[in-house]
Amino acid sequence: MTKIDELSELLKQANSFSDDGKFEEAISLFNELTRRVPEKAIFWCLLGNTYRSFGDHAAAVHAYETALKKDPDHQLSQLALAQICMDVGELERAEGWLMTALLTPNNHNMVYTLLGSLRGKQERWKESEEYCSKAIEADPLYEEAYLFLGISFMRQGRVAEANRAIRRALEIDPEYEDAKRALKTLRQF
């Protein structure tokens, strides 16, 4: 078995453990991957994702920051750090990470959607709407952008537009639980 085959098998096992909720096993394998190939930002990011799922935010932040030392433009790590900052109410730091992520050339739909979510947390609903609309322009099939756009409309009292946006999210992903909950909330308006 070649080194690449070994690494591919380790990655496959680590992802499988993570998907199955066996986070300690996944963390062990992702740590092994970062030990064997320490320069790969993606392995550090995947380790961070697993720590985050396990509930160890400090270790997740360390892993994401290490990924960014390896590749300062690693957008997935930037987005993950922004999400952690949003989760703990550090909205200015989250905005900094999101603005940095906008400087990278890909996945702007995710960045714009998170900026829309951030503006929502700040109750800046018109700006939230604008960022979500940009996310949809970047990827017309990004259901999360439609959901946040719908929430933004809802918070502005624009019920018909909220209904259309949330229903579009459910057309894209009929199993999207957050959109189903938002639609139930919207019915109360």
Side-chain angles (χ1 to χ4, degrees):
M1 186 178 264
T2 67
K3 180 179 178 180
I4 291 178
D5 291 336
E6 287 177 26
L7 293 174
S8 293
E9 185 58 31
L10 268 176
L11 180 59
K12 182 179 172 183
Q13 288 175 337
N15 282 326
S16 178
F17 280 139
S18 186
D19 290 344
D20 292 342
K22 298 177 180 176
F23 299 119
E24 291 175 345
E25 293 90 338
I27 288 167
S28 176
L29 292 179
F30 282 124
N31 271 318
E32 179 63 20
L33 284 165
T34 61
R35 188 189 64 74
R36 289 190 187 187
V37 193
E39 70 278 2
K40 283 295 204 183
I42 188 63
F43 292 155
W44 288 98
C45 183
L46 292 169
L47 176 62
N49 291 347
T50 306
Y51 274 126
R52 188 169 176 214
S53 295
F54 187 62
D56 189 342
H57 288 245
V61 167
H62 174 73
Y64 295 134
E65 287 175 343
T66 302
L68 289 169
K69 287 177 186 168
K70 308 299 179 182
D71 177 3
D73 294 328
H74 196 262
Q75 192 181 58
L76 293 176
S77 294
Q78 294 165 344
L79 294 175
L81 285 167
Q83 287 176 318
I84 288 174
C85 290
M86 287 170 64
D87 290 346
V88 299
E90 295 179 13
L91 302 183
E92 287 183 22
R93 283 189 67 205
E95 183 171 5
W97 284 116
L98 291 170
M99 292 304 174
T100 300
L102 270 180
L103 300 175
T104 60
N106 52 6
N107 293 325
H108 285 159
N109 59 328
M110 294 169 57
V111 179
Y112 287 134
T113 301
L114 285 172
L115 279 164
S117 175
L118 173 67
R119 292 300 182 247
K121 287 181 181 284
Q122 297 168 325
E123 297 189 10
R124 293 162 59 180
W125 297 109
K126 187 65 180 163
E127 290 176 60
S128 174
E129 173 190 341
E130 291 167 4
Y131 279 120
C132 291
S133 294
K134 286 182 179 185
I136 291 166
E137 283 178 34
D139 181 357
L141 296 177
Y142 193 47
E143 69 277 3
E144 194 169 342
Y146 285 99
L147 171 63
F148 284 115
L149 180 62
I151 291 169
S152 177
F153 285 145
M154 188 181 345
R155 295 302 298 255
Q156 294 177 68
R158 295 161 59 188
V159 176
E161 292 167 287
N163 187 45
R164 278 193 298 276
I166 295 168
R167 286 189 183 282
R168 181 65 181 127
L170 285 168
E171 286 173 13
I172 295 167
D173 181 0
E175 303 303 315
Y176 193 10
E177 293 299 323
D178 289 342
K180 289 177 183 179
R181 281 191 293 278
L183 202 54
K184 286 180 183 175
T185 301
L186 182 62
R187 289 183 186 133
Q188 298 171 359
F189 271 73

